Amino acid sequence: MPSVHSILNIGRWALFSSQTALQVTGNNIANVDTPGYSRQAVVFEEGISLDASCGQIGTGVYAKEVIRYFNEFIEEQYNTKASTQERWYTQYQALLSMDNLFNESMSQGINSATSQFWADWQDLSLRPEDYSAREALMGDTQNLLSAIRSTRNDIVRQQEQMDDYITQEVEEVNKILEEIAALNLQIQVHDIPGQNNANSLYDNRALLVRELAEKLDIDFVDSGGGDVTILTKAGHTLVDGSQVFEIKFEGSKTMKELAEGSTFDGEIFFDGSDDFEYTLEVVTGGQVSNASTAAVFRVSLDGGRTWMKDDDGNDLHYSARPEGGKVSVGDLTIWFGIDGDPSTAPANQLSAGDTFTIVPKTGLYWYENTSTCMNITPQIYGSGTDNQRRLIGGSLAGYFNFRDHYVGGYLEKLDAFAESMIWEVNRLHSQGAGLQNFNHVIGTYSVDLDNTALVSNSTGLAFGDKIQSGSSMVYIYSASTGELASSASYGPLDFGAAAGIQNFDPSQHSLEDVRDAYNRTFGNFLTADIVSGRLRIQSESGYEFAFGTDTTGLNAALGINTFFDGSDAATMGLNVNTESDLDLICAGHVNGAGEANPGDNTAALAIAGLQYEEVTIRTAFTGPTSQTLEEYFNVLVGTVGGDTANAEFNYLYHKALADDLDARQEETAGVNLDEEMSNLIKFQSTYTAAAKLIQAAEDMLQTILTLKS
Amino acid sequence: MRVSHRSRFTFFIDNMNMAMSDLMELNIQASSQKKVNRPSDDPVGMSRILNHRDTLESMGQYRENIETATGWLNIADEILLQVDTVITRLKEIAEQAATGTMGQDNREQVSYEARQLFGQLINIANTEYEGKHIFGGHKTDESSFVETLWMTTNDSNVAAAPFSITGNTEDTVLVRFLTDGDVDTDDLDYEYSLDGGKTFTQSTLAAGTNTLDLDGVLLTLTNGTTVSAHDPNISGSTDNGTWMWIRPTAQYMGDDQDSVLVDTLGPSTLNTAASGVFRENVIVRIDGDTALASNISYSYSVDGGVNWSSGHTSFSPATASSATLVVPGGYLTLTSNSGSLLAQGNQFVIRPQTGRIMFEISPGEEIQVNSIGKDVFGGIYQHPGSNAAGIVFGAGSQHNLFETAGNLVGYLETNNQEGIQQALENLRESNEHILNNAARIGARENRLQVADSVLQTLEYSETNQLSRIEDVDMTELMTQLASQQIIYETVLKSSSMIMRMSLANYI
């Protein structure tokens, strides 16, 4: 039997519902610009109907729950795209500064300084005895050196800046992970689906996940409520419900993975740093020793996809040495020791298949627990594809890729450019003659081991691998007359005590053998000795010496009679002897008569000719190429521009996709003021109508009450 | 489609930014007048721009090289013309003096002019360009020729043996032996005249000595040289004992490029010799253990062992005792000596004497700008390492200008008509030789001109190509600017229109 009270009740519930709806609408309007806010709405549900004599009669309405409009499916897609977009955006922004650094469109730089350098050698060939030509060459060489050095320093500064950014980002990521885990916990407490939706907590979490996705690539696995798992795309769990796994940005590490059955008990050690990870694989088992029977390994810079090759395309093989015979591989020196004691050689043999990884740089690690970590530093293979088992998205990937792959690659190439320039110029210069002879010279390149074959990669000699067999001509003059001291005071060095003149044998001759060769061949006129790993030659009183054809490249490798010093962009400089004495710039050569004449421009012409000479330039990562030095640098500039343009393109492309997804989410979750406005009017009138209903019920009650009196 | 309040404004701002940034890009192009303002604008273009710039820069340098080379060659050209003028005058003098109608006094008179002309020739041959002697090979810092004394003799015994002269004289010294005999063995009487044969001073070269004292000039002959006595009853020097004229000549002090040395690197005992015209050191490397008789495979390098050209085999037919290896500029001959085996890794350095100064006038193309003075003017020359000077081109050569002119002075001063006749003949030859050299230099000058005009054309086309990649097309830019302006203004207009719309305006 329907009663007036039930009408009052219906009115009351209708009032409450409209009021709730108005409040939600108001909240929507108020949060129209709040980031992360999703539009909410009230779900009305019809009250239960009561059986009455006239049949079922409704009991009004009640506000069942407040829901939020949010498309989880699009959000997941958006986050993936946003990671990619952010990665390219970060790379693009960082590369813009590289683009600027290598921009010579309007200003002078390495390219113009190199041009000037070759022009100066041409000028010197026109006036070989002219000090102003020599002075100009020196000055312009200094310009070139400072252009190379400052470019390199700027690049390195950018790399260091990346380290700062990465540190901040990692901190931020860990904080976000904590917050998400905390929110998960709260959601578990507050959320009762279909009744008490924790809308704002969900909004907050979605916002945090978006922030996280901008920093690294993630998968979001939602099992309902607070039970979500966030993993990196590579599968490393970051958040599992309320549990958090940390990522850390840490210094260089080495890892080993032994082949099945290997009993190797040592560790790998290294000196130096590089932007690439070195993967070493033992190809021939054996002891760690300085003997020729030592184990042999090969090296990869992209996790074992491609192996470092020599100029002929064969894998480069290195021997496993203890600390006393460290081998130079790329930018590192590597040796084997035992855990905690680098200077003791391990007792057990290395087996073929044993693999070691050196991360000679700061990297990103995912910690499964406090002791077990995995390397998730982004890595790009030589083919340009990403290592899918590492981070591949987000600003972190962008920073790492910029630091290691892009800038690391530019640095490698700049170093290779400098290295080739130094070697090619020195090789020709060391066979020339200046305006005066030497009575004393000391090499600029030093070796670590005086008695080890110079070409061995254990000597630490920068250009040791370039030395060939042959010999080196030396000419000795009387200091007083300037003529050859005697008919026997010139000729090739004799590298052996056996009869006849023995040639230099790269596979066995050490610095000590070179010293002995000088003393054996020209002991009457000069004395050679070794001073802290460098060769020193001093003439006996009354004599002077000069250098001629050198088919070995020994002089260039030891830094004798050279123009440049150093072995890469960072260390490139002038040979101090040449720098301090303009006479020692070699424009001429010792001719067939044993004379070095002031008008001779042979060496200057040869060096100037390098401008158009295709030389072999190699980096550990890209292998050898044959180009002129200028072209090589110009291609590097093009590469920087191409990388920047490519990053911009990718950024814009992925941004368009992400923006579209964001817009689609916004379509669902965004607040439309016009809509809210009409809702406002709608619920306001509902409210008014409900109030009218109550008034009507009241009137009815009054009517009934007046009946009584 | 629902359009949320937030996305409406995001769109407005995005669209305005996009239109504006396109405008700014065009603005940068307008201000720099360049299409490529940073490497990322056109990465491939930027590489090409830098390559073109390098090429342009080096072309500028090559043109500067050509200019300097032109300076060298022009002055050489001019000088050889001057030499021609001097020779012409010398020929006139010789022609007059060669006739029987001219007497001793007249010859003496013209001899003064001849001696001055001789000095002038030396001065001319010592011409410098930018402070460098252009006829001295690589020895640019010292005089290419110095005046010195030399001896001419009618006696082939004396001419065949080495001699040396020290001291100095203003006039030609005429020496005649008065007794037959051998130097060092016999006491030899001789007489000499410092005034062209008007008066003679007598003296004796004692046995055991070989130096004639000629009043300030010391002439040392080789021991054992046979001399014969002069018969005063016969006039003239023909078949009349040993006569010697100590007269002026010029000694070449510069560089020559006559010989090529070969150094052996490694334990090979073979004898070596190289023939040909080598511009630079050539290194030959033996690539396999082998005997001379078989085909020898070898590599060579012309840049000090930096690059090797490999895969060559020896020139056939080889014999058991010698092999010939062809290399750039000539060939290397190996002959057996204590064996005839070669080992892999044996190297030979062909080391030519060099005197050419080469300038690079375009990539890989070089031109010689100086000359080897002795090959142009002759004179006498002492090879480095040898202990005595000798006549350039050999005794009796007719195109040795300094020797010819020196002899002419000597004969004029000593009133020797026959000698003057011979000198006149030689002067013609020498003149020819000088003109040949002038022609050679002229040809080089022509080559420079051609090279320069080629470079000019290349420079023009490089500039053109650079401009095509780098420079902005003004018409296109202005059109783009205008259309971009319209786009931007439209975006502003439409955005502002929509921005104001709201339901709130009507309720």
Side-chain angles (χ1 to χ4, degrees):
Chain A
M1 174 92 181
S3 75
V4 179
H5 283 291
S6 57
I7 298 177
L8 260 182
N9 234 2
I10 291 176
R12 184 168 60 106
W13 282 113
L15 259 188
F16 282 167
S17 300
S18 303
Q19 201 178 321
T20 313
L22 274 171
Q23 197 166 350
V24 170
T25 305
N27 194 38
N28 280 344
I29 292 173
N31 282 306
V32 65
D33 281 324
T34 310
Y37 180 78
S38 315
R39 175 165 67 102
Q40 296 180 359
V42 183
V43 176
F44 295 112
E45 205 168 80
E46 196 185 339
I48 50 160
S49 296
L50 300 173
D51 290 339
S53 54
C54 55
Q56 283 210 331
I57 291 178
T59 55
V61 70
Y62 69 98
K64 182 172 174 265
E65 59 176 333
V66 180
I67 56 154
R68 75 195 241 277
Y69 287 88
F70 190 74
N71 191 332
E72 298 282 357
F73 179 65
I74 288 199
E75 185 72 2
E76 174 77 27
Q77 289 182 55
Y78 168 76
N79 280 338
T80 305
K81 274 290 160 254
S83 288
T84 318
Q85 175 208 321
E86 201 59 30
R87 167 189 169 166
W88 288 109
Y89 176 70
T90 315
Q91 282 173 199
Y92 172 52
Q93 286 299 320
L95 280 167
L96 272 181
S97 61
M98 287 292 116
D99 200 30
N100 249 336
L101 191 59
F102 283 95
N103 188 5
E104 287 189 39
S105 177
M106 298 294 186
S107 55
Q108 310 280 297
I110 295 179
N111 172 271
S112 51
T114 312
S115 270
Q116 189 56 48
F117 177 73
W118 300 128
D120 284 343
W121 280 102
Q122 290 278 3
D123 274 337
L124 186 62
S125 81
L126 302 183
R127 298 168 185 88
E129 79 304 350
D130 186 2
Y131 283 96
S132 61
R134 284 165 187 258
E135 203 72 69
L137 172 64
M138 274 297 161
D140 291 331
T141 308
Q142 293 287 12
N143 284 349
L144 172 64
L145 292 176
S146 82
I148 291 177
R149 220 175 296 128
S150 72
T151 303
R152 191 185 190 283
N153 288 345
D154 281 349
I155 295 177
V156 170
R157 208 169 300 129
Q158 294 275 344
Q159 280 189 314
E160 285 165 357
Q161 207 174 34
M162 287 306 122
D163 282 349
D164 290 347
Y165 289 162
I166 292 168
T167 312
Q168 289 164 15
E169 290 287 72
V170 168
E171 241 171 63
E172 193 79 6
V173 165
N174 286 328
K175 212 179 83 199
I176 292 173
L177 295 179
E178 294 283 355
E179 285 178 32
I180 291 176
L183 278 173
N184 281 339
L185 198 63
Q186 284 193 41
I187 289 170
Q188 275 164 9
V189 173
H190 293 285
D191 188 60
I192 306 166
Q195 186 182 343
N196 186 23
N197 296 323
N199 286 332
S200 68
L201 292 179
Y202 281 122
D203 276 351
N204 284 344
R205 192 178 67 187
L207 191 62
L208 284 170
V209 171
R210 276 192 171 205
E211 270 181 48
L212 186 64
E214 282 172 6
K215 299 189 191 314
L216 38 84
D217 51 311
I218 49 164
D219 272 331
F220 184 81
V221 182
D222 192 350
S223 314
D227 191 10
V228 299
T229 312
I230 298 176
L231 313 100
T232 63
K233 287 265 188 243
H236 306 100
T237 311
L238 297 171
V239 177
D240 186 11
S242 56
Q243 197 188 350
V244 172
F245 298 86
E246 238 186 331
I247 57 167
K248 285 183 182 168
F249 182 49
E250 291 180 325
S252 53
K253 281 191 197 307
T254 62
M255 283 149 255
K256 68 174 169 183
E257 198 174 319
L258 298 182
E260 214 173 281
S262 170
T263 56
F264 184 63
D265 55 345
E267 292 289 335
I268 192 163
F269 293 91
F270 71 97
D271 274 338
S273 68
D274 199 356
D275 299 315
F276 303 102
E277 290 177 20
Y278 287 59
T279 307
L280 285 69
E281 186 186 86
V282 177
V283 287
T284 312
Q287 284 290 351
V288 170
S289 77
N290 281 324
S292 59
T293 53
V296 171
F297 61 86
R298 56 180 181 167
V299 180
S300 162
L301 294 182
D302 58 359
R305 292 223 155 183
T306 53
W307 300 95
M308 282 167 75
K309 305 230 185 292
D310 62 16
D311 289 350
D312 301 325
N314 302 317
D315 282 357
L316 278 169
H317 283 176
Y318 300 90
S319 298
R321 304 288 190 207
E323 194 181 21
K326 299 173 184 179
V327 291
S328 307
V329 181
D331 289 352
L332 307 182
T333 50
I334 292 172
W335 74 97
F336 292 86
I338 56 174
D339 193 13
D341 182 7
S343 50
T344 304
N348 293 349
Q349 293 204 344
L350 282 158
S351 306
D354 286 355
T355 308
F356 298 86
T357 307
I358 300 175
V359 189
K361 57 177 179 179
T362 44
L364 195 62
Y365 296 89
W366 171 76
Y367 273 77
E368 190 174 0
N369 51 49
T370 46
S371 59
T372 319
C373 67
M374 279 178 85
N375 186 0
I376 55 167
T377 318
Q379 186 180 29
I380 297 181
Y381 294 131
S383 57
T385 52
D386 295 314
N387 182 346
Q388 300 287 340
R389 294 167 66 193
R390 306 285 180 81
L391 283 192
I392 53 168
S395 54
L396 272 175
Y399 289 134
F400 272 110
N401 287 339
F402 174 75
R403 187 193 77 169
D404 299 343
H405 179 75
Y406 291 100
V407 171
Y410 305 156
L411 268 186
E412 280 252 322
K413 286 189 173 157
L414 195 63
D415 280 345
F417 169 76
E419 183 185 337
S420 283
M421 182 125 186
I422 293 169
W423 176 253
E424 299 295 337
V425 171
N426 279 353
R427 190 73 176 78
L428 295 174
H429 192 272
S430 67
Q431 303 187 60
L435 293 178
Q436 82 182 27
N437 295 325
F438 290 97
N439 42 38
H440 163 256
V441 68
I442 182 159
T444 56
Y445 297 107
S446 64
V447 299
D448 298 335
L449 304 166
D450 295 350
N451 54 6
T452 307
L454 284 173
V455 294
S456 141
N457 41 36
S458 294
T459 56
L461 186 61
F463 292 103
D465 56 331
K466 308 251 190 195
I467 304 177
Q468 301 171 319
S469 66
S471 193
S472 169
M473 301 281 290
V474 179
Y475 298 83
I476 289 147
Y477 300 92
S478 154
S480 50
T481 64
E483 308 279 325
L484 281 174
S486 80
S487 59
S489 72
Y490 76 92
L493 293 174
D494 182 2
F495 284 90
I501 295 203
Q502 303 299 318
N503 271 350
F504 178 80
D505 177 357
S507 64
Q508 57 162 329
H509 285 138
S510 66
L511 187 60
E512 287 181 355
D513 292 315
V514 176
R515 174 197 65 191
D516 294 346
Y518 273 97
N519 290 331
R520 178 183 302 116
T521 323
F522 299 111
N524 293 334
F525 307 107
L526 49 76
T527 314
D529 56 2
I530 296 170
V531 184
S532 57
R534 296 151 194 249
L535 183 67
R536 181 173 67 176
I537 308 168
Q538 288 170 292
S539 59
E540 300 292 334
S541 106
Y543 298 111
E544 296 172 341
F545 54 94
F547 300 93
T549 301
D550 173 18
T551 60
T552 58
L554 268 176
N555 287 345
L558 295 175
I560 288 172
N561 197 25
T562 51
F563 186 76
F564 284 121
D565 188 16
S567 57
D568 56 26
T571 53
M572 188 174 186
L574 282 162
N575 181 331
V576 283
N577 300 319
T578 317
E579 188 181 10
S580 57
D581 190 346
L582 292 177
D583 282 339
L584 295 182
I585 297 175
C586 297
H589 78 306
V590 179
N591 68 13
E595 296 167 336
N597 291 317
D600 188 356
N601 62 1
T602 314
L605 267 185
I607 294 173
L610 275 177
Q611 180 174 20
Y612 287 103
E613 184 93 19
E614 293 200 344
V615 299
T616 303
I617 308 174
R618 62 173 10 265
T619 66
F621 202 67
T622 56
T625 58
S626 194
Q627 273 172 308
T628 71
L629 283 161
E630 275 175 344
E631 273 169 14
Y632 187 82
F633 181 77
N634 296 346
V635 169
L636 174 57
V637 175
T639 308
V640 173
D643 285 344
T644 313
N646 183 39
E648 184 184 17
F649 170 81
N650 272 298
Y651 158 59
L652 291 176
Y653 172 69
H654 290 287
K655 181 178 179 340
L657 294 180
D659 282 354
D660 181 53
L661 287 164
D662 190 36
R664 281 170 65 189
Q665 182 66 280
E666 194 64 21
E667 252 176 62
T668 313
V671 177
N672 180 319
L673 281 180
D674 293 341
E675 182 185 333
E676 300 303 326
M677 215 62 88
S678 60
N679 279 344
L680 199 63
I681 293 166
K682 179 170 83 181
F683 292 124
Q684 214 177 348
S685 25
T686 321
Y687 188 86
T688 317
K692 282 269 186 237
L693 185 64
I694 291 173
Q695 204 172 16
E698 201 207 340
D699 286 351
M700 286 162 75
L701 274 177
Q702 284 295 333
T703 312
I704 294 168
L705 284 174
T706 42
L707 281 180
K708 209 176 166 196
S709 58
Chain B
M1 180 179 123
R2 283 188 79 250
V3 178
S4 77
H5 182 72
R6 204 158 42 193
S7 49
R8 238 169 75 185
F9 283 86
T10 316
F11 282 141
F12 295 148
I13 292 167
D14 279 359
N15 290 336
M16 283 189 279
N17 272 342
M18 222 185 299
M20 192 57 182
S21 74
D22 286 352
L23 262 178
M24 288 317 289
E25 183 59 37
L26 292 174
N27 188 29
I28 291 173
Q29 291 191 7
S31 75
S32 69
Q33 293 291 308
K34 281 182 178 154
K35 269 192 290 204
V36 186
N37 288 296
R38 36 173 57 241
S40 57
D41 287 345
D42 180 359
V44 179
M46 189 51 122
S47 288
R48 286 174 59 202
I49 288 169
L50 291 179
N51 282 340
H52 283 307
R53 280 195 201 163
D54 290 339
T55 313
L56 272 175
E57 183 113 350
S58 69
M59 279 179 180
Q61 180 65 39
Y62 285 128
R63 294 193 67 188
E64 196 185 315
N65 293 3
I66 287 177
E67 209 171 287
T68 315
T70 312
W72 280 74
L73 292 176
N74 279 351
I75 202 157
D77 199 357
E78 256 168 53
I79 275 170
L80 292 181
L81 287 181
Q82 281 183 35
V83 170
D84 184 50
T85 318
V86 174
I87 294 176
T88 310
R89 180 64 197 142
L90 278 174
K91 276 198 292 197
E92 284 169 20
I93 291 172
E95 261 160 27
Q96 290 168 18
T99 56
T101 51
M102 194 178 250
Q104 177 164 14
D105 288 346
N106 295 115
R107 290 208 175 97
E108 190 184 335
Q109 280 158 14
V110 294
S111 78
Y112 298 130
E113 188 184 351
R115 192 173 264 277
Q116 287 312 311
L117 289 171
F118 180 80
Q120 214 173 318
L121 277 180
I122 292 185
N123 280 344
I124 292 173
N126 280 333
T127 303
E128 298 174 39
Y129 180 71
E130 289 185 343
K132 288 176 285 248
H133 294 269
I134 63 172
F135 288 111
H138 282 158
K139 293 182 181 168
T140 51
D141 57 338
E142 45 197 287
S143 295
S144 313
F145 288 94
V146 292
E147 186 172 340
T148 181
L149 295 175
W150 198 248
M151 179 197 74
T152 309
T153 175
N154 63 346
D155 187 335
S156 57
N157 287 332
V158 178
F163 58 89
S164 69
I165 303 170
T166 52
N168 198 7
T169 175
E170 299 265 296
D171 302 294
T172 305
V173 184
L174 176 60
V175 188
R176 298 195 291 226
F177 279 97
L178 301 172
T179 45
D180 291 340
D182 290 349
V183 176
D184 192 40
T185 316
D186 307 309
D187 286 341
L188 298 170
D189 290 335
Y190 63 92
E191 59 178 7
Y192 63 91
S193 166
L194 294 169
D195 54 6
K198 286 181 198 148
T199 58
F200 280 91
T201 312
Q202 294 209 348
S203 183
T204 303
L205 180 65
T209 62
N210 60 357
T211 301
L212 287 77
D213 186 346
L214 309 171
D215 199 10
V217 177
L218 296 174
L219 169 67
T220 308
L221 296 171
T222 309
N223 289 342
T225 310
T226 308
V227 299
S228 50
H230 158 71
D231 181 352
N233 298 321
I234 307 173
S235 71
S237 58
T238 317
D239 299 330
N240 191 11
T242 304
W243 292 48
M244 296 185 287
W245 290 264
I246 313 289
R247 44 82 192 171
T249 191
Q251 181 168 7
Y252 180 59
M253 304 304 286
D255 249 349
D256 72 291
Q257 40 193 29
D258 296 344
S259 57
V260 182
L261 282 164
V262 180
D263 298 307
T264 305
L265 310 184
S268 162
T269 54
L270 299 180
N271 285 329
T272 56
S275 324
V277 180
F278 298 96
R279 291 270 165 89
E280 63 263 295
N281 290 7
V282 180
I283 306 165
V284 179
R285 182 181 69 196
I286 305 300
D287 288 339
D289 294 342
T290 179
L292 282 183
S294 53
N295 280 342
I296 301 165
S297 72
Y298 65 98
S299 306
Y300 60 77
S301 167
V302 291
D303 54 7
V306 180
N307 295 303
W308 292 91
S309 163
S310 56
H312 304 277
T313 42
S314 57
F315 183 73
S316 58
T319 66
S321 59
S322 88
T324 305
L325 312 183
V326 179
V327 293
Y331 51 88
L332 171 70
T333 310
L334 303 171
T335 43
S336 57
N337 174 35
S338 328
S340 60
L341 291 178
L342 279 166
Q344 174 166 9
N346 283 165
Q347 295 177 354
F348 302 94
V349 181
I350 301 171
R351 196 156 51 92
Q353 291 188 12
T354 48
R356 294 179 192 86
I357 295 178
M358 309 297 289
F359 286 177
E360 197 174 16
I361 52 170
S362 65
E365 193 189 348
E366 294 181 355
I367 198 163
Q368 183 180 349
V369 297
N370 69 337
S371 305
I372 307 298
K374 78 177 181 60
D375 295 344
V376 178
F377 301 106
I380 62 168
Y381 180 54
Q382 181 174 354
H383 278 97
S386 91
N387 48 16
I391 295 172
V392 175
F393 309 133
S397 62
Q398 294 192 308
H399 54 289
N400 187 327
L401 175 62
F402 279 125
E403 277 292 285
T404 306
N407 275 327
L408 179 64
V409 171
Y411 292 139
L412 283 173
E413 285 178 354
T414 55
N415 187 28
N416 184 333
Q417 193 189 344
E418 292 160 40
I420 293 167
Q421 280 165 358
Q422 180 57 44
L424 177 59
E425 183 55 34
N426 289 355
L427 267 178
R428 291 200 186 99
E429 292 285 334
S430 302
N431 200 6
E432 193 91 334
H433 184 65
I434 293 291
L435 289 176
N436 283 346
N437 274 292
R440 193 174 299 162
I441 283 166
R444 283 189 209 143
E445 284 176 299
N446 285 345
R447 202 176 132 208
L448 283 182
Q449 269 175 13
V450 172
D452 196 38
S453 64
V454 168
L455 276 181
Q456 224 170 330
T457 320
L458 282 177
E459 224 173 5
Y460 176 74
S461 95
E462 283 285 325
T463 317
N464 240 344
Q465 286 182 40
L466 183 61
S467 162
R468 220 173 303 150
I469 308 171
E470 190 175 38
D471 292 344
V472 83
D473 178 339
M474 277 309 286
T475 333
E476 201 184 318
L477 179 70
M478 292 318 293
T479 319
Q480 280 180 343
L481 257 177
S483 95
Q484 198 58 46
Q485 187 191 0
I486 293 169
I487 293 174
Y488 185 58
E489 282 171 356
T490 315
V491 169
L492 285 183
K493 172 97 183 138
S494 67
S495 298
S496 65
M497 210 168 87
I498 303 167
M499 224 181 272
R500 274 194 298 265
M501 293 181 182
S502 169
L503 182 58
N505 295 341
Y506 302 98
I507 51 177

